Amino acid sequence: MLAAASHKNAYDVALENFEIAANALDLEHDVRETIKYPERVLMVTLPVRMNDGRVKRFEGYRVQHSTVRGPAKGGIRYHPNVTLDEVKALATWMTWKCGVVNIPFGGAKGGVTCNPKEMTLGELEHLTRRYTSAILPLIGPEKDIPAPDVYTNSQTMAWIMDTYSITKGYPIPGVVTGKPIALGGSLGRNEATGRGVFYTVQCAAEFLRLPLKAVRVVVQGFGNVGSIAAQMLHSIDCHVIAVSDSTGSIYNPHGLDIPSLMIHKTQTGRVADFPGSEPIRAEELLRLECEVLIPAALENVIDEDNAGRVNARIVAEAANGPVTPGADRILDSRETFLIPDILCNAGGVTVSYFEWVQDEQHLFWESQDVYHRLERVMKTAFAEVLKIHLDRRVDMRAAANMLGVGRVAEALRLRGIYP
Ligand code: NAD
């Protein structure tokens, strides 16, 4: 998914970003060699009996990139384009992301190459339980904690928790995060990533001395993350002038009524035909003049071909990898302020950490506790990345990578390298 034909392999991009940060930090050779590559890679074959009675074989992966700062943490993706390189790249980014927000986890990721849209709920359950059994030696609350990612959700996590618990003989909710509340999930997890995006946009606007009231916001991808970020910005009187989903893009120069749009999307399953809006083309949406552009859908949507036509003061990377390395350079030359993904969308893993803490303590927090702690974590991380950006005169992406990589390197030096 991450590596469209015209774009670089996602894992090559992850390694390139690491080298940029490592060079800027002047990291010594031994530390580089130890923290750059995944610690463990597991490939599994999953024979699953489908509804037609035949057994179909799927391929799955679990990659633990780092356990230097704590257990490995990262989502599980079900998608036809999942590859080992993509999973390795996503696991690597998770390590630096956990470092940026300073939570005591390393990075991991999992994936199964499958098309969940063509599978029944029963087939997905069989696949998930088989995958859980296959990766069982790696996972556990003290070792590696999966979470939802593309086309997996709280139900998937419930099946994983159940399969793992049955094997051990007692309930172990801390083995996954993003669970249903009834099984030890955290209040506020569902909206955590969008909320985190909102906090980082607030920080960026403050730094740029841009009063947020009445600024124009454009959101690509009105899903979980994009809709929550849009709703929160709308609630402080920003004008969300355009949004899109996979079925279409809509525009109103005076601002869309986001709470009503959320109801419309729930009722119709799409943003298109929202009363009081006009349709626009998907590529036009990215070119709209606005103060804040939030790509919250897919990877590689702002590339060398269209970056020169982006008309936003701030680009907030709610999705993973929406801006390509070539586009980074173009946006930078146009003085567009970028909030990089490993900072911008780190609210999700932060509240996953809160969920794991609550599960381990068997003590659950009020939603306001979750929100306040999340705000503090996100705003602290933003300030730390900004300081590196200003002090070291590097772009925001390099600054975020330097913060994440630097924290892992520091932890490794303290632990020492096993002879
Ligand atoms: P989601 O499936 O809820 O929403 C994605 C939205 O993007 C959907 O509305 C979909 O219709 C839309 N979309 C798909 N293709 C599109 C296209 N070509 N043009 C415009 N819109 C399109 O997913 P989500 O959980 O909101 O995740 C969005 C992004 O954020 C992903 O890149 C994901 O990896 C990243 N992310 C999510 C979380 C989280 O906690 N959910 C955490 C970190 C990063």
Side-chain angles (χ1 to χ4, degrees), residues 1-2 77 90 94 97 109 148-151 189-194 219-227 243-249 265 269 271 282 285 295-299 301 317-322 341 344-349 352:
M1 251 176 107
L2 281 173
R77 178 171 289 200
L90 291 163
M94 281 302 294
K97 191 184 290 190
K109 207 78 184 187
D149 190 68
V150 175
Y151 294 138
R189 173 62 187 90
N190 205 31
E191 61 268 35
T193 307
V219 180
Q220 182 199 45
F222 199 69
N224 172 308
V225 177
S227 67
V243 307
S244 62
D245 63 14
S246 56
T247 65
S249 311
K265 168 100 184 171
V271 297
L285 176 126
L298 306 168
E299 306 82 17
V301 291
E317 285 189 315
N320 284 316
D341 48 7
C344 190
N345 68 32
V349 74
S352 270

Side-chain angles (χ1 to χ4, degrees), residues 20-332:
I20 293 169
N23 290 340
L25 289 165
D26 211 8
L27 270 197
E28 58 274 35
H29 168 269
D30 295 1
V31 171
R32 269 182 211 234
E33 283 294 288
T34 312
I35 66 174
K36 180 173 176 179
Y37 303 101
E39 288 176 14
R40 284 196 187 90
V41 175
L42 179 65
M43 291 176 67
V44 292
T45 288
L46 309 170
V48 177
R49 192 169 300 284
M50 308 298 278
N51 281 1
D52 63 7
R54 286 160 56 93
V55 167
K56 184 167 176 185
R57 187 184 72 87
F58 295 90
E59 278 181 2
Y61 310 95
R62 184 72 186 169
V63 173
Q64 293 177 350
H65 176 262
S66 174
T67 55
V68 173
R69 300 179 73 246
K73 182 95 192 76
I76 291 171
R77 178 171 289 200
Y78 288 174
H79 195 277
N81 297 347
V82 162
T83 63
L84 179 58
D85 267 359
E86 176 184 84
V87 179
K88 280 160 69 178
L90 291 163
T92 308
W93 284 325
M94 281 302 294
T95 300
W96 317 138
K97 191 184 290 190
C98 292
V100 166
V101 280
N102 208 6
I103 57 177
F105 286 139
K109 207 78 184 187
V112 177
T113 314
C114 65
N115 189 349
K117 286 187 174 170
E118 290 176 356
M119 295 171 70
T120 65
L121 197 63
E123 289 169 339
L124 284 170
E125 179 176 352
H126 294 156
L127 175 71
T128 302
R129 290 186 183 278
R130 190 79 205 205
Y131 174 68
T132 308
S133 302
I135 65 166
L136 207 97
L138 293 197
I139 61 172
E142 313 300 338
K143 298 198 289 187
D144 179 356
I145 306 129
D149 190 68
V150 175
Y151 294 138
T152 56
N153 54 29
S154 58
Q155 176 61 76
T156 324
M157 296 306 113
W159 291 327
I160 296 177
M161 179 261 181
D162 183 65
T163 310
Y164 184 81
S165 300
I166 290 170
T167 314
K168 299 291 175 184
Y170 58 99
I172 308 173
V175 65
V176 282
T177 59
K179 295 178 294 294
I181 302 290
L183 281 179
S186 176
L187 294 173
R189 173 62 187 90
N190 205 31
E191 61 268 35
T193 307
R195 203 168 251 281
V197 171
F198 169 74
Y199 295 139
T200 60
V201 169
Q202 275 189 319
C203 291
E206 193 181 324
F207 167 64
L208 298 170
R209 298 180 199 282
L210 180 72
L212 275 177
K213 196 172 164 62
V215 304
R216 293 161 299 177
V217 178
V218 171
V219 180
Q220 182 199 45
F222 199 69
N224 172 308
V225 177
S227 67
I228 299 291
Q231 186 187 32
M232 293 194 70
L233 288 163
H234 175 85
S235 74
I236 59 162
D237 296 327
C238 295
H239 291 170
V240 182
I241 57 169
V243 307
S244 62
D245 63 14
S246 56
T247 65
S249 311
I250 58 170
Y251 173 61
N252 179 336
H254 307 294
L256 298 156
D257 176 355
I258 298 298
S260 304
L261 177 59
M262 288 178 96
I263 296 169
H264 172 83
K265 168 100 184 171
T266 310
Q267 286 172 346
T268 65
R270 43 195 276 172
V271 297
D273 303 325
F274 178 59
S277 73
E278 55 183 279
I280 53 166
R281 291 203 319 276
E283 58 277 19
E284 257 181 88
L285 176 126
L286 291 174
R287 296 182 203 146
L288 285 172
E289 196 179 319
C290 63
E291 282 70 39
V292 182
L293 172 62
I294 306 180
L298 306 168
E299 306 82 17
N300 297 329
V301 291
I302 301 177
D303 58 16
E304 277 165 88
D305 294 337
N306 63 8
R309 289 190 291 267
V310 166
N311 258 312
R313 182 74 187 89
I314 298 170
V315 172
E317 285 189 315
N320 284 316
V323 179
T324 66
D328 261 353
R329 289 186 278 277
I330 297 171
L331 292 183
D332 201 41

